[in-house]
Amino acid sequence: MWPFSRKGASGFSSSSTAEQVTEGIDGTGLTAIVTGASSGIGTETTRVLSLRGVHVIMGVRNMLAAKDVKETLLKEIPSAKVDAMELDLSSLESVKKFASEFKSSGLPLNMLINNAGIMACPFKLSKDKIELQFATNHLGHFLLTNLLLDTMKKTSRETKKEGRIVNVSSEAHRFTYSEGIRFDKINDESSYSNWRAYGQSKLANILHANELTRRLKEDGVDISANSLHPGVIATNLSRHISPVNGLTKAIARLVLKNVQQGAATTCYVALHPQVKGTSGKYFSASNVAKTTSQGTDADLAKNLWDFSMDLTK
């Protein structure tokens, strides 16, 4: 048994799978949106929530890939309720269109899982002229959450069930720029670092959930907002490992998570009764974990909120 596979207070560990952490939980009657659901942990999150009876709306850029995911899911789980809607998180216009179409559907919304993301790409601006990782990983989800909040509040009031907002962050938040969020240099190509920009966007996911928690509590709304680290997933990393080095790959398979384990913390935070009433926390391996001091900086969180509001107006 690897030391990092020890069970935490929740009874789960980094080796627990999404099916294991949701075993025996009935999600019938609940509706969830999962962004980035057409691949990786987004697909597994969709599958396991569907398995537990949740109606899942996949927010995806690639509708063809989503169609394949849906067909595969229905073969395995004939009773699954899964739909797909087009969503490009790097485009504020696309986010607004998605939110408008979802609201028009009249569906309730119990869970919003902000999962989609891009990682460590070369410097590029989004359609809205914002650095692409910040735009996709944080800003698109920030706007989406704000636009769907009234629907979540209404659902929570009518069903008397806690709404849950889940931001998929990363331990990479520890490796952001020294100032945390570079408000005055968000689009500065000359000092851009692909990995630090990724860390910045993941720190933003944590701060967003924290400030959202503060505001929801102020409003007395029964909705929680938490962030999490899914783990380093073998499928994401193995692309960069030389096929010649079989030993490295074998070790990687032991140390890194598979997709079933990678989706576990998301499914745990979204669905498990243990998490009820918990908000503004950061989870890893299906247990509450610690962030950096920047990850709990209330002033930084508020400044990010104001900055994000200005960018999404």
Side-chain angles (χ1 to χ4, degrees):
M1 170 80 69
W2 288 84
F4 45 73
S5 290
R6 288 189 190 128
K7 289 177 181 176
S10 67
F12 303 113
S13 72
S14 62
S15 61
S16 300
T17 66
E19 282 196 31
Q20 287 168 343
V21 303
T22 58
E23 197 173 343
I25 299 172
D26 185 6
T28 307
L30 300 176
T31 304
I33 289 173
V34 180
T35 69
S38 61
S39 65
I41 61 173
T43 298
E44 180 64 2
T45 299
T46 299
R47 185 185 77 81
V48 173
L49 291 180
S50 301
L51 190 64
R52 304 304 175 216
V54 178
H55 179 191
V56 182
I57 287 83
M58 302 188 288
V60 293
R61 271 191 313 182
N62 186 336
M63 291 295 281
L64 278 175
K67 184 171 173 282
D68 291 344
V69 169
K70 184 176 175 177
E71 283 174 5
T72 305
L73 269 179
L74 288 171
K75 276 179 194 160
E76 184 197 340
I77 314 158
S79 61
K81 290 176 77 176
V82 186
D83 293 297
M85 289 171 60
E86 194 169 354
L87 173 63
D88 178 356
L89 270 307
S90 72
S91 160
L92 298 178
E93 186 188 344
S94 174
V95 172
K96 287 172 187 169
K97 184 171 179 281
F98 175 92
S100 173
E101 286 177 0
F102 180 82
K103 285 190 274 195
S104 297
S105 73
L107 284 168
L109 184 59
N110 304 90
M111 288 171 261
L112 173 60
I113 299 173
N114 293 320
N115 164 79
I118 54 172
M119 184 168 71
C121 57
F123 182 84
K124 191 178 176 185
L125 294 178
S126 70
K127 292 170 191 168
D128 305 287
K129 301 289 182 279
I130 299 155
E131 188 275 310
L132 195 60
Q133 295 194 76
F134 188 81
T136 306
N137 298 352
H138 165 65
L139 206 61
H141 284 126
F142 175 85
L143 178 61
L144 180 68
T145 304
N146 281 357
L147 293 175
L148 295 174
L149 213 45
D150 281 344
T151 305
M152 289 197 76
K153 287 176 181 177
K154 182 172 182 279
T155 303
S156 175
R157 274 196 311 271
E158 290 176 355
T159 61
K160 302 283 190 291
K161 285 178 181 169
E162 178 188 64
R164 295 189 185 184
I165 295 163
V166 183
N167 285 357
V168 178
S169 177
S170 168
E171 281 292 278
H173 80 273
R174 299 179 187 282
F175 309 108
T176 181
Y177 297 104
S178 59
E179 59 269 57
I181 309 289
R182 313 179 94 193
F183 299 111
D184 56 342
K185 292 182 179 176
I186 212 79
N187 288 344
D188 184 12
E189 187 175 359
S190 65
S191 60
Y192 177 80
S193 154
N194 58 348
W195 280 106
R196 291 197 185 279
Y198 178 64
Q200 172 179 250
S201 71
K202 295 288 105 181
L203 173 62
N205 293 150
I206 295 170
L207 295 172
H208 172 218
N210 295 355
E211 177 63 12
L212 189 54
T213 290
R214 190 185 71 77
R215 288 166 180 266
L216 291 167
K217 278 181 180 166
E218 240 175 36
D219 294 347
V221 182
D222 191 18
I223 298 173
S224 65
N226 293 293
S227 56
L228 64 92
H229 168 57
V232 183
I233 318 301
T235 50
N236 283 352
L237 224 60
S238 57
R239 304 197 296 270
H240 309 296
I241 298 172
S242 163
V244 176
N245 196 339
L247 179 63
T248 308
K249 273 198 160 178
I251 292 168
R253 274 196 292 273
L254 289 171
V255 176
L256 305 182
K257 288 186 176 187
N258 59 33
V259 173
Q260 290 78 16
Q261 293 164 333
T265 306
T266 304
C267 291
Y268 173 77
V269 176
L271 206 56
H272 207 287
Q274 284 178 356
V275 184
K276 186 169 169 32
T278 302
S279 195
K281 297 294 184 189
Y282 174 71
F283 288 79
S284 180
S286 301
N287 283 278
V288 174
K290 281 187 160 59
T291 67
T292 59
S293 58
Q294 287 175 331
T296 55
D297 187 329
D299 290 333
L300 190 60
K302 188 183 182 307
N303 291 340
L304 174 66
W305 186 281
D306 295 341
F307 182 66
S308 304
M309 287 298 288
D310 285 343
L311 288 175
T312 53
K313 270 177 187 166

